[in-house]
Structure formats: structure tokens, C-alpha cells
Amino acid sequence: MILLAVILFLLALVALVPPFIVLLGQFPGSASAKLEAFISAYSGSIISLGTLFLVSSLALWTTHLSNRSSEKREAGNRRIAAEMKLAEMRKGWINELAADIAEFTSLVGLRAGNEADKKELFLGSRILLRMNRNDPDYDNLRECLKSVSLQIRADEPDLDKLIDLREISQRILKREWERLKRDLREAQLLEAAQ
């Protein structure tokens, strides 16, 4: 685009040279005297042509800058969309992998167990697979799941373990909710910066 504008500008200058030389030849005196007389006689036309070239050049330049800016913005949007799609696909893959591992461990762990035992082991495995081992509540959650599982089978279950499980779960969910809100705010700030 800019190259085309430069070529057109040069062609316009080349087209103006012959009439300029003919007009310059009409004035008497040396080359500098002819030039001075030409400028005096045609100052209004020279200013008009200069303004025309200046405005045209500025219009082409701003168009170029605007196009370049929109191309960068579009490239950024395409990159964000691609990353979001990858994240969505990765999330699906992770969820399916966790479900398969949990189901596999429950089947292997309780070959002869009843359906409720299998379901309990399956859900416990899925819960732990979704957790980050570095989470401060990971070990507490694992122990609590084990304790609740054992307490449910006891003749006189201690339901305090179930309350402990709920409290640990609430802490984890609250922490993850806050992290999600923070990540969304950061994404909005990144998008606004573009």
C-alpha cells in the first residue's frame, strides 16, 4: 500500500516536471531569477498543489497505520481464540483422563465389591485426581475421604468426619473460586490492553 502511494507520488512529480520547465522558460533572467519569478507568479497554485500532496500523503499514511493496527489486533484476537480453544480441548482431555483413571482404579480395587463400593472408590479417585498435590488441603482431603469411607461402614458412624470433609471441601472450593475470578480479571485486563 505504501509502495503504491510512493510510486503514484513520484509519477505525479514526473508528470509535473515538463509543464514546470515550460513555465519556467517564460520568465527572463538567470535560473534563480526565473525560479523566483515563477514562485511569485504562481504562489497560490504552488501552495494548493503542496497542500493536495500533503493531505493525500497524510491520508495514505494514516490508512496504512490504521490497517497495520487492525492487523495486529486481529492477530492477537486469533491467538487468544486459538489459546482458548486449546484450553477447552485440554480441559476435556484432562476430565476424560481423570474419569477413566478413576473408573479403572475402582474396578481394579474392588473386583468383588458391590456397586456402592465401586461408586465410592470411583468418586474418591476422581476427586483426588482433580486436586493439585501441592494444594495445602490435599493431604487433609485424602485422609478425610479415607476416614469418611471407613466411618460409613462402621456400626456407629462418626458423622464429624463428614463435617470435616465438608469444611475442607469448602476451603478448597473457595480458594479455586477466588483463583478463577482473578484469572478472569487478568484476562479482561489483557483484552482491554489490546
Side-chain angles (χ1 to χ4, degrees), residues 17 40 42 78 85 104 122 128 136 141 147 151 175 180:
V17 169
S40 297
Y42 294 104
R78 282 191 303 272
K85 186 65 177 172
F104 178 80
F122 172 75
L128 291 176
L141 179 65
S147 296
Q151 285 298 318
R175 194 169 40 250
L180 176 63

Side-chain angles (χ1 to χ4, degrees), residues 122-134:
F122 172 75
L123 292 173
S125 295
R126 278 189 78 172
I127 290 167
L128 291 176
L129 284 170
R130 288 183 173 149
M131 290 295 300
N132 180 351
R133 289 186 65 108
N134 297 328

Side-chain angles (χ1 to χ4, degrees), residues 54-64:
L54 179 65
V55 168
S56 299
S57 299
L58 287 175
L60 288 171
W61 181 254
T62 56
T63 301
H64 170 71

Side-chain angles (χ1 to χ4, degrees), residues 9 12-13 16 19-20 23 38 42-57:
F9 179 74
L13 285 178
L16 289 175
F20 174 71
L23 285 173
F38 174 79
Y42 294 104
S43 63
S45 297
I46 293 171
I47 290 172
S48 296
L49 283 174
T51 304
L52 176 66
F53 281 122
L54 179 65
V55 168
S56 299
S57 299

